[in-house]
Amino acid sequence: MDRLDNTVRPYAWGSTTAIPRLLGVEPTGEPQAEMWMGAHPGAPSLTARGPLTEVIAEDPERELGRAAVAKFGPRLPFLLKILAAGAPLSLQVHPNLEQAREGYADEERRGIPADAPHRNYKDANHKPELICALTEFDGLCGFRAPAEAAALLAALDVDSLKPYVDLLRAHPEEAALREVLTAVLSADPDETARTVAETAAACDRLGGAHAPYADIAHHYPGDPGVLAAMLLNHVRLQPGEALFLGAGVPHAYLNGLGVEIMANSDNVLRCGLTPKHVDVPELLRVVRFEAGDPGVLRPEESPGGEEVYATPIDEFRLSRYVLAEGAAPHDLTRETPQILLCTAGSVLADGEILAPGQSVFVPAGEKAVVSGASGSGTIFRATVVA
């Protein structure tokens, strides 16, 4: 197995303390938002054999296994991260595979540069993702029922919100959500800014269920995404709980530390809470206007002590082991590639001691035996279904 040296991305929304605290190092004072583990070309993990992108490219079948290469091609199909949100991330959705292929091909035909700020599709892949909380973790996930969203907005007693309340109450679910989101994102910017300011003040005054939106407005004053966010379910995950974000589901992470895994793609369509490009027509084509419970996931225990976060896609499979001191070792050997990440205590992985935040890449078929090094330890296992 290969010990990984991973890049930390300093996005402005990142916490200044959460990742340093996990790693047991002093904060730098700068935001540290995401630590990437994998073979994404933007920040591949480094190994003693070189960047993981190059290691895999030299012999994909040896590193990934024949079945994974046949199913996903000669690349690691997932990206694992530690994500530390100190402020809300952009409100966003991801396309399904067909939409991503169509959108990417269209932008390629039109000659839109890959780094153009108005480009939507960086690649032809979908981007399902899973976030598992390491601390209490706040987020937004999926639409509320229109009646619930109407009640939340009506309680603010803001005149300019009343047309949205009426739409939410008068139309069938899909039409109501579509019309209100379209209206919010298409309204005059100056009028929207005034509405957001009034909404923020009312949310701050009322507190309770409105408090998260007051905080969002504090970070993004005047942004129409504040109003769009109020159409979504607010979720607070406890450590060990997770959310799966499928195609077309609007979501945003607000605060907390978690392990995130996703298909290896950069395709994001933004709804707000960002200074970046918002393509309203394309966004409306991709969003699934369906209300429902966000579906908090809890791990399902499998034989051998593995706790699996079940998802409906094959590009990644995330699980964890809580390793008690003195317990028998666990044999994690698989015919698919793996990344093992320690998040608590210390873990012994084939003679390598992993402390929190440290990780290794295990090529397909290579032996991987783990146990608690001293005291208990927790290790997350990322692999694929092939």
Side-chain angles (χ1 to χ4, degrees), residues 112-376:
I112 299 176
D115 59 352
H118 64 286
R119 176 141 186 170
N120 294 315
Y121 295 95
K122 309 296 185 185
D123 52 68
N125 199 16
H126 63 164
K127 194 187 178 186
E129 59 190 43
L130 177 79
I131 184 76
C132 178
L134 294 178
T135 65
E136 200 170 71
F137 193 98
D138 281 282
L140 305 173
C141 179
F143 286 108
R144 298 174 182 269
E148 293 178 12
L152 191 75
L153 293 175
L156 298 173
D157 197 27
V158 173
D159 286 344
S160 51
L161 293 178
K162 290 177 181 177
Y164 303 147
V165 173
D166 292 341
L167 284 171
L168 290 166
R169 288 175 171 166
H171 291 270
E173 176 180 291
E174 181 178 348
L177 295 170
R178 179 182 291 275
E179 288 187 35
V180 173
L181 184 62
T182 302
V184 164
L185 297 180
S186 306
D188 176 80
D190 292 334
E191 291 181 7
T192 297
R194 287 191 291 271
T195 298
V196 170
E198 291 182 52
T199 298
C203 285
D204 193 46
R205 183 178 67 253
L206 290 175
H210 294 86
Y213 306 100
D215 185 64
I216 292 170
H218 170 74
H219 288 284
Y220 297 98
D223 193 303
V226 175
L227 305 180
M230 298 191 73
L231 302 175
L232 307 186
N233 297 296
H234 175 248
V235 185
R236 176 162 291 167
L237 300 177
Q238 298 304 312
E241 295 181 334
L243 286 174
F244 173 72
L245 292 313
V249 177
H251 62 278
Y253 303 143
L254 304 181
N255 187 271
L257 181 70
V259 173
E260 185 183 35
I261 190 168
M262 62 188 63
N264 207 347
S265 170
D266 284 331
N267 287 326
V268 176
L269 290 156
R270 295 174 176 85
C271 312
L273 310 184
T274 178
K276 295 182 180 179
H277 178 61
V278 176
D279 184 335
V280 175
E282 186 64 13
L283 171 73
L284 296 174
R285 187 178 80 89
V286 167
V287 170
R288 286 167 43 198
F289 290 96
E290 301 172 5
D293 186 281
V296 174
L297 294 176
R298 295 171 182 84
E300 302 172 4
E301 188 159 349
S302 298
E306 185 181 27
E307 299 177 340
V308 181
Y309 293 91
T311 62
I313 51 92
D314 293 343
E315 281 87 346
F316 60 76
R317 177 183 183 274
L318 186 70
S319 61
R320 71 173 184 178
Y321 290 82
V322 179
L323 306 169
E325 183 176 11
H330 296 269
D331 188 346
L332 274 56
T333 306
R334 286 176 65 99
E335 294 303 316
T336 53
Q338 304 181 74
I339 291 178
L340 306 180
L341 165 67
C342 177
T343 59
S346 59
V347 173
L348 188 64
D350 283 353
E352 293 274 350
I353 295 179
L354 302 181
Q358 296 181 337
S359 57
V360 292
F361 172 73
V362 185
E366 291 293 319
K367 184 180 179 182
V369 177
V370 299
S371 60
S374 59
S376 62

